[in-house]
Amino acid sequence: MGYTQQPAWTLPIPDGARVHSSQAATAIIDSKTITLYSNATGKEIRSVTGDEEIAVIDETSIDGKPGIVWLNADKTKLTAWIADESNAEGKLITADLPAGATVTRPSAEIIIKDSQTQVFRLTQEGIKQYQSPQGLSPWAFTDKGLVSLGYDVPSEVTDPAGQAVAAIDLVSPEAGYSMLQRISIGNDYAASIWAQNLNSVTDQSQVKLVIHSLSSGQPVEVIDGPLQSLEPTIDSTERSWVIGQGNDLATYGPYIFSLRTGKLQTVLPNGTTGLPAKGTFGLASAPNGATYIFQGTEAGYTLSNKIILAQSGSTLITQAGNRVVAYPATLS
């Protein structure tokens, strides 16, 4: 699939404003006001003004529907929007966050955890608490429920009351290897690092990056390499698995994986740094400031004079200077 050079629509970006595009809509954020526009037509859907500046914005899935979620400056209040067939302006959801809460997106959905490690899910009715199963670490939401992980025990999918609805028996590390680190779990796949001799692992130790299917528990992709190629340092606690816009791709170090198949799609060239993917476009930056696009197994090419914001349906949404410019797809 390609994209025409003739824009489908354009939008001006006010001075000082920023843009966020997702599957649900395109948003222009100007201080305390967020204005939502249709990805298909570029027409305004609705405008929302809060009491504080908007600090964080991300896409999410809410009860299976694409949505946009944002937090106020002190991260105590969450607001979300999803399209609603019965209301042209869509549905707005607001909720006060629990004290000390963090909001992350380890899968298609966000997950909310408070300072007591209690877990909450964003629904169309607001945030709903989920009881975490004992002995396991809550990680992400899927369409079946809360996925929680443990070591040397089956992982579980549980309902809001903490009752198991499914077990996920991920294949144990192969002979001579042990679990070094869980990287990610969500969507349909889990990612882990296996290593030998856990007490003497260094940056140069050869390890295995393993992508498991959550349905079968079996590895669908295994990559061998030095730990340094996967994480900046052995002591790094930062999870660098980054799910791209649209939940099509995930980037981890120099590797780009398909979240549709779990397979390795692209290895970024030396000297480039992976950026969050946009739809089926993997992105990387070079030291000279250039941005490169990688789609499928094709060699990367330079993106000139524009920034890819999102791939939504049959529309590619970009930023060129102080304008949002959307291009329709072609079959050629």
Side-chain angles (χ1 to χ4, degrees):
M1 180 183 291
Y3 293 88
T4 68
Q5 296 300 308
Q6 183 64 38
W9 52 264
T10 65
L11 285 173
I13 304 172
D15 290 342
R18 53 198 172 104
V19 183
H20 175 85
S21 285
S22 70
Q23 298 298 91
T26 291
I28 293 182
I29 306 102
D30 194 353
S31 185
K32 301 177 183 180
T33 300
I34 179 168
T35 307
L36 302 169
Y37 298 88
S38 165
N39 287 338
T41 65
K43 294 181 178 179
E44 182 176 331
I45 300 171
R46 74 181 299 168
S47 184
V48 181
T49 299
D51 296 329
E52 297 181 55
E53 290 194 6
I54 297 166
V56 178
I57 184 166
D58 202 353
E59 66 180 327
T60 190
S61 176
I62 304 171
D63 294 338
K65 297 180 179 180
I68 297 175
V69 60
W70 60 93
L71 308 181
N72 62 345
D74 61 9
K75 299 180 182 178
T76 59
K77 184 177 181 180
L78 175 151
T79 307
W81 175 89
I82 57 173
D84 185 344
E85 294 178 357
S86 64
N87 183 353
E89 290 191 336
K91 183 172 184 176
L92 205 63
I93 305 160
T94 60
D96 292 326
L97 290 172
T102 59
V103 181
T104 58
R105 185 168 65 93
S107 65
E109 290 189 47
I110 62 166
I111 185 170
I112 303 165
K113 299 179 183 179
D114 70 7
S115 56
Q116 305 301 314
T117 68
Q118 295 184 96
V119 177
F120 301 82
R121 187 175 199 172
L122 177 60
T123 73
Q124 294 189 59
E125 285 69 47
I127 59 174
K128 176 188 293 185
Q129 185 173 351
Y130 269 64
Q131 183 67 42
S132 302
Q134 278 196 332
L136 299 177
S137 298
W139 199 279
F141 286 110
T142 71
D143 56 354
K144 296 183 179 67
L146 174 64
V147 179
S148 299
L149 294 180
Y151 286 94
D152 300 322
V153 294
S155 301
E156 288 186 351
V157 183
T158 53
D159 64 15
Q163 298 300 307
V165 296
I168 304 171
D169 196 2
L170 301 179
V171 169
S172 299
E174 63 186 55
Y177 284 83
S178 299
M179 177 68 68
L180 175 67
Q181 184 181 1
R182 296 282 195 195
I183 300 170
S184 173
I185 188 165
N187 296 78
D188 296 319
Y189 300 95
S192 306
I193 296 178
W194 297 348
Q196 300 172 318
N197 304 318
L198 294 186
N199 293 328
S200 59
V201 176
T202 70
D203 291 343
Q204 300 305 316
S205 295
Q206 292 293 307
V207 298
K208 293 179 183 290
L209 170 59
V210 185
I211 312 298
H212 285 90
S213 164
L214 290 186
S215 58
S216 69
Q218 296 292 325
V220 295
E221 187 74 84
V222 179
I223 298 171
D224 295 274
L227 179 62
Q228 191 175 43
S229 70
L230 307 179
E231 290 284 6
T233 68
I234 188 174
D235 297 322
S236 173
T237 57
E238 179 182 353
R239 189 175 300 134
S240 54
W241 178 275
V242 180
I243 296 176
Q245 175 273 319
N247 299 290
D248 286 294
L249 300 174
T251 303
Y252 189 75
Y255 304 107
I256 298 179
F257 294 92
S258 167
L259 293 176
R260 307 300 176 188
T261 65
K263 293 289 190 178
L264 177 66
Q265 182 161 303
T266 302
V267 179
L268 300 176
N270 290 336
T272 62
T273 301
L275 300 172
K278 306 293 184 180
T280 59
F281 292 97
L283 301 175
S285 63
N288 63 3
T291 299
Y292 290 87
I293 296 177
F294 299 85
Q295 192 172 29
T297 58
E298 299 174 4
Y301 56 92
T302 306
L303 179 66
S304 301
N305 303 321
K306 58 174 69 77
I307 301 168
I308 294 180
L309 299 174
Q311 189 182 46
S312 174
S314 59
T315 304
L316 185 68
I317 302 169
T318 71
Q319 180 178 345
N322 62 352
R323 301 188 72 81
V324 180
V325 184
Y327 297 93
T330 66
L331 297 179
S332 59

